[in-house]
Amino acid sequence: MSIQWGIAGSGRISHMIAAEFGAVEDAEVVAVGSRSTERARAFAAEFGIPHAHGSYEALVADPQVDALYIGTPNARHFPLALAAIDAGKAVLVEKSMCCQGEHARQLIRAAAERRVFLMEGMWTRFLPAIRAAHQAVESGRIGQVRTLQGDLFAHRPFDPTDRLFAPELGGGAMLDLGVYVLHFAQDFLGAPCSMQCTGRCYDNGVDADMGLQLRYDDGSFAQLCCSLAGHGPARMVIAGTEGFIEVGPRFHHPSEITVHAPDDGPQVISEPFEGSGYRLELQSVTDAIASGATEHELVPLADSLAVSQTMTEALDRFGYRPHDQLTL
């Protein structure tokens, strides 16, 4: 059965997603929605999408749409996802799922009540190199994982009119970059039991960079940092009692990993991917929706909630509380 998709948003990420859908089996993009009719029509013409809606309300109400991909700025994720869930549609919402942990909890509860699929778009987890890293850990090649260290820096000149730096749109390093480092740690270590953080904010209160140390019940820990104000390799190291694994750079879309084990030395495992990397996620989500699943095993909702809560706690300590918009 073909799943008919709608795309909410007509910006850069939505363009990348629309292009990747061409390689996804049993999926068809039938509608796009934007706050501008002109932009929606231009997007639809570019990708051959039959229906263009000049409002998100119209997109959510479109009876031909089975599933909605939400690619709007962070602050608009919550009301759109909630409206789509209420309409009985499956939802793939771009990371970060919400600007507040409590709103992520509300989405998860609503999806459970309506028995519809919901997933945060953490596409990194579907990439072959990340799956290879899991296989190396699970095989015991590096022993027991004790520490995870990594960063994600993406230097951008400060521009308060850009959505990356706008508090009303959920801007800041944590929600755009920190979500990746925290999901990586969540994927390999689970939910932390405690957190320490340091960082700084721009003059408008939005976080510029953040350093986190997470501790876990078994004594392991993660050291992570993210920044919009500096440059860095975007590398992750998974350190174990018998060796370690290097992922990337850049770790959130790696094409290879290097396994360092005392017995056989460094081994480079090459795992390239086609396109921009999103098609693996889109195919897997399409298949899950078609099967009647309500969440995906590679990005479980418990992980998204834990990450969202950690981000909220960290930002609260710096007095930056980005708010999800509550209405469309």
Side-chain angles (χ1 to χ4, degrees):
M1 143 177 129
S2 178
I3 301 298
Q4 298 191 108
W5 283 87
I7 294 178
S10 54
R12 183 184 65 87
I13 185 64
S14 291
H15 275 79
M16 296 174 70
I17 291 292
E20 290 282 85
F21 260 118
V24 179
E25 295 180 358
D26 298 321
E28 181 184 5
V29 180
V30 298
V32 60
S34 173
R35 290 169 39 157
S36 161
T37 299
E38 182 179 353
R39 287 198 299 270
R41 287 175 177 171
F43 191 100
E46 181 178 352
F47 293 103
I49 299 171
H51 301 287
H53 299 290
S55 72
Y56 296 131
E57 292 92 339
L59 175 63
V60 168
D62 190 330
Q64 295 193 48
V65 173
D66 302 315
L68 196 65
Y69 166 78
I70 298 174
T72 59
N74 292 327
R76 296 183 181 134
H77 291 174
F78 174 66
L80 252 173
L82 188 60
I85 290 168
D86 286 345
K89 301 186 189 303
V91 175
L92 173 61
V93 57
E94 190 54 54
K95 55 82 192 164
S96 294
M97 178 178 278
C98 295
C99 294
Q100 291 292 322
E102 178 54 33
H103 287 157
R105 185 187 303 277
Q106 289 182 34
L107 286 188
I108 292 168
R109 185 185 303 122
E113 291 173 354
R114 291 286 289 164
R115 298 183 180 179
V116 297
F117 181 91
L118 172 65
M119 194 188 91
E120 183 179 18
M122 190 45 59
W123 59 290
T124 295
R125 294 197 183 191
F126 295 85
L127 298 179
I130 298 300
R131 306 319 311 157
H134 273 286
Q135 291 169 6
V137 169
E138 291 162 7
S139 71
R141 291 188 63 191
I142 65 168
Q144 182 182 0
V145 175
R146 301 303 303 154
T147 306
L148 192 147
Q149 299 172 314
D151 73 277
L152 185 55
F153 286 26
H155 181 270
R156 298 289 187 274
F158 178 70
D159 178 359
T161 66
D162 189 300
R163 66 101 187 161
L164 282 173
F165 306 100
E168 70 275 11
L169 295 178
M174 180 60 73
L175 290 175
D176 253 78
L177 304 175
V179 64
Y180 278 112
V181 298
L182 285 169
H183 257 288
F184 195 96
Q186 182 77 27
D187 196 16
F188 284 91
L189 291 174
C193 62
S194 66
M195 176 192 67
Q196 294 176 312
C197 63
T198 186
R200 67 185 182 90
C201 295
Y202 296 107
D203 289 342
N204 68 347
V206 172
D207 62 306
D209 35 41
M210 193 84 70
L212 303 170
Q213 178 154 303
L214 310 179
R215 296 201 66 87
Y216 299 84
D217 288 332
D218 65 356
S220 59
F221 63 93
Q223 295 175 312
L224 311 168
C225 54
C226 60
S227 177
L228 288 166
H231 298 271
R235 184 185 67 152
M236 279 286 177
V237 174
I238 306 168
T241 55
E242 303 294 335
F244 65 96
I245 302 170
E246 293 179 279
V247 183
R250 300 179 65 89
F251 81 86
H252 61 309
H253 51 83
S255 57
E256 66 179 35
I257 65 171
T258 303
V259 180
H260 299 261
D263 294 340
D264 52 9
Q267 178 192 8
V268 176
I269 301 175
S270 179
E271 292 284 0
F273 54 84
E274 295 182 349
S276 56
Y278 296 99
R279 64 186 60 178
L280 295 170
E281 171 193 57
L282 296 174
Q283 184 67 70
S284 196
V285 169
T286 295
D287 293 343
I289 294 169
S291 73
T294 55
E295 63 180 297
H296 200 288
E297 62 181 358
L298 291 188
V299 192
L301 293 173
D303 279 11
S304 290
L305 179 58
V307 168
S308 186
Q309 291 174 325
T310 299
M311 291 193 296
T312 296
E313 180 183 351
L315 292 173
D316 276 351
R317 296 186 186 185
F318 289 86
Y320 175 40
R321 195 166 178 82
H323 288 286
D324 295 295
Q325 295 179 5
L326 300 181
T327 62
L328 295 181

